[in-house]
Amino acid sequence: MEKNIYIYDGIYTGHHISYAKGLIENTNNTILILNKNMTDKFSDIPSERLHVINCNDPSSYNNKVIGWLSNFYNLLRTKELHNNFIHFTYADNIIIFIYMFLLFYKGEKIFMTIHWANAVVPIKKASTIINKVYRSIKFTFFKRSLSKTHKIFVHGSYTKELISNRYKTKKIIEIPYGIEEDNLGAKIQVIKDNNDDKNLLFFGGIRKDKGIKKLASVARENPQWKFTIAGNVGDYSKEEIEGFFNNCENVILKLGYVREEDIPSLFLNSVALILPYEYYFSGQSGPLTLAAKYQLPVVAANVGDMGRDINLFNLGITSDSNDPKLLTRALEVLMQKQGCFSTNLQSYYERGKWSKVGSLLDTEYSTS
């Protein structure tokens, strides 16, 4: 009898939800494991594709460590897991808990997805002694987990190379970052042809590794362009971000959760996506996949899988750092090449459709 693959993330917010849905809806024999307080987020998924464990989202506990331990204890109590396979689709921050789980897991195959190379590979970034010790422990547990793990999926050649080289393993499998499909088709170009607003878009959670301060400098030095900053405040307070863009009349701030139905208009009413990420950003970019979906060329710092893909697939212009002057020059070059990237963006979108990624995963699940 064919085995089921149980999918576990543990955090079901934002792109975690989108990723989990894309995976479940486009693969066979997969069952999504949910915390009991997350069932309403997946009400459109057939009940037979869901398995609910009796605990809350780990982040809802007063102590996140207790939350994760509670979740993984309840995972181990799920008998079906020991007779089937499990895929940890966002393993980056829970490597230690996964290793502890593996000590007691009796199933045959474990799969993981690592989204960020720096989750398991050292990076040149200032850090506290405590953080360095923690990361060193995590790297050790990841290395030990490799012997029990069947395959590890990543979303770019940059991450694959770093992990493969450090741990001398051939278990790293590169797959595209899944993109939700849309039927806009030719409508996209019609909308863009009627769009005279030279607006540049920054989209996504505003973390410290996304270069928001540098973007503020770009906006301040280039009043001829309009900028829309849309996304949750993340590592900063709303007041801090407003302070970065103080007196920038060419900037519109849309801080907070962006509803799914509002995303198309943000991308279709812009001429470029700007991603001034820091050098230690080493993963793939969700906004980049949306840019491909809506055929929006990208200006970005040349970092991680994101920078490599933009250059490899010719999706826009990158600068070798997120220095405001270099980003401005990249924007100037992109403006001169408007319309040159549409075919490449469409191809990248076709490559990353969840229907195709799902087929790739099904093949990897079933082969040893």
Side-chain angles (χ1 to χ4, degrees), residues 17 26 28 36 116 137 157 182 314 318 328 341 354 366-367:
I17 291 175
N26 293 279
N28 300 310
K36 67 179 181 182
W116 308 87
I137 292 171
S157 58
D182 207 320
N314 195 21
T318 64
T328 297
F341 304 99
W354 261 117
S366 61
T367 57

Side-chain angles (χ1 to χ4, degrees), residues 63-127:
N63 185 305
K64 287 186 180 181
V65 172
I66 299 299
W68 282 114
L69 288 173
S70 175
N71 273 244
F72 274 78
Y73 172 71
N74 281 280
L75 277 179
L76 284 169
R77 293 178 63 192
T78 303
K79 293 180 181 179
E80 294 88 342
L81 259 63
H82 298 276
N83 298 319
N84 291 281
F85 309 144
I86 186 166
H87 180 179
F88 296 101
T89 57
Y90 224 101
D92 303 59
N93 294 323
I94 54 174
I95 295 296
I96 294 174
F97 300 104
I98 291 174
Y99 173 73
M100 295 169 66
F101 174 89
L102 293 179
L103 294 176
F104 301 95
Y105 175 68
K106 299 176 183 177
E108 298 176 34
K109 292 183 182 179
I110 289 281
F111 303 93
M112 292 188 212
T113 297
I114 299 291
H115 293 257
W116 308 87
N118 59 30
V120 293
V121 175
I123 56 174
K124 295 178 181 180
K125 180 192 172 196
S127 184

Side-chain angles (χ1 to χ4, degrees), residues 23-33 45-51:
L23 201 158
I24 289 292
E25 291 171 351
N26 293 279
T27 53
N28 300 310
N29 304 313
T30 51
I31 297 172
L32 182 65
I33 301 174
I45 303 294
S47 59
E48 63 268 20
R49 303 292 299 278
L50 302 175
H51 179 89

Side-chain angles (χ1 to χ4, degrees), residues 295-320:
Q295 296 184 23
L296 192 66
V298 185
V299 168
N302 187 15
V303 293
D305 287 313
M306 174 194 74
R308 184 170 289 192
D309 270 15
I310 293 170
N311 291 326
L312 179 63
F313 296 96
N314 195 21
L315 307 177
I317 305 295
T318 64
S319 64
D320 286 337

Side-chain angles (χ1 to χ4, degrees), residues 214 217-219 221-222 224-225 227 274 299 319 322-335:
K214 301 292 177 64
S217 297
V218 174
E221 295 296 323
N222 294 280
Q224 73 275 22
W225 294 326
F227 296 80
I274 183 167
V299 168
S319 64
N322 64 351
D323 178 89
K325 291 183 179 179
L326 291 177
L327 284 170
T328 297
R329 179 56 186 152
L331 278 168
E332 290 170 346
V333 173
L334 183 126
M335 292 300 185

Side-chain angles (χ1 to χ4, degrees), residues 51-320:
H51 179 89
V52 181
I53 58 176
N54 188 30
C55 51
N56 296 319
D57 187 320
S59 62
S60 67
Y61 289 77
N62 290 331
N63 185 305
K64 287 186 180 181
V65 172
I66 299 299
W68 282 114
L69 288 173
S70 175
N71 273 244
F72 274 78
Y73 172 71
N74 281 280
L75 277 179
L76 284 169
R77 293 178 63 192
T78 303
K79 293 180 181 179
E80 294 88 342
L81 259 63
H82 298 276
N83 298 319
N84 291 281
F85 309 144
I86 186 166
H87 180 179
F88 296 101
T89 57
Y90 224 101
D92 303 59
N93 294 323
I94 54 174
I95 295 296
I96 294 174
F97 300 104
I98 291 174
Y99 173 73
M100 295 169 66
F101 174 89
L102 293 179
L103 294 176
F104 301 95
Y105 175 68
K106 299 176 183 177
E108 298 176 34
K109 292 183 182 179
I110 289 281
F111 303 93
M112 292 188 212
T113 297
I114 299 291
H115 293 257
W116 308 87
N118 59 30
V120 293
V121 175
I123 56 174
K124 295 178 181 180
K125 180 192 172 196
S127 184
T128 64
I129 295 297
I130 293 176
N131 184 260
K132 288 180 179 179
V133 171
Y134 166 72
R135 286 175 60 80
S136 178
I137 292 171
K138 191 167 79 165
F139 299 160
T140 299
F141 282 153
F142 178 72
K143 184 176 182 179
R144 292 178 179 177
S145 298
L146 277 172
S147 62
K148 296 176 177 286
T149 303
H150 190 62
K151 293 176 181 177
I152 293 176
F153 302 112
V154 299
H155 296 306
S157 58
Y158 177 86
T159 295
K160 179 179 179 178
E161 288 173 14
L162 287 180
I163 299 177
S164 297
N165 292 339
R166 177 175 176 82
Y167 295 97
K168 309 303 179 186
T169 178
K170 295 182 179 179
K171 294 182 178 181
I172 314 301
I173 309 296
E174 181 186 349
I175 59 172
Y177 192 101
I179 306 174
E180 294 178 5
E181 299 182 31
D182 207 320
N183 295 319
L184 283 172
K187 293 181 182 178
I188 292 177
Q189 196 56 50
V190 172
I191 294 171
K192 287 184 175 296
D193 288 342
N194 293 323
N195 177 21
D196 296 324
D197 188 9
K198 299 300 182 184
N199 183 65
L200 301 164
L201 175 66
F202 174 96
F203 179 81
I206 306 174
R207 301 192 309 262
K208 290 183 178 179
D209 63 343
K210 292 192 174 182
I212 196 70
K213 290 184 180 180
K214 301 292 177 64
L215 180 57
S217 297
V218 174
R220 191 170 291 108
E221 295 296 323
N222 294 280
Q224 73 275 22
W225 294 326
K226 298 178 182 179
F227 296 80
T228 296
I229 316 299
N232 277 321
V233 294
D235 292 338
Y236 300 100
S237 68
K238 184 178 179 180
E239 290 73 23
E240 284 178 308
I241 296 172
E242 288 173 343
F244 298 155
F245 294 93
N246 187 34
N247 297 324
C248 290
E249 296 182 357
N250 58 332
V251 174
I252 297 173
L253 295 177
K254 297 184 177 183
L255 305 179
Y257 175 73
V258 179
R259 298 180 306 168
E260 189 171 341
E261 57 266 33
D262 294 334
I263 293 174
S265 64
L266 283 171
F267 280 80
L268 293 174
N269 290 310
S270 301
V271 294
L273 178 71
I274 183 167
L275 303 171
Y277 293 176
E278 299 284 354
Y279 70 93
Y280 57 91
F281 180 96
S282 60
Q284 195 51 275
S285 167
L288 173 61
T289 62
L290 288 171
K293 178 178 177 178
Y294 297 112
Q295 296 184 23
L296 192 66
V298 185
V299 168
N302 187 15
V303 293
D305 287 313
M306 174 194 74
R308 184 170 289 192
D309 270 15
I310 293 170
N311 291 326
L312 179 63
F313 296 96
N314 195 21
L315 307 177
I317 305 295
T318 64
S319 64
D320 286 337

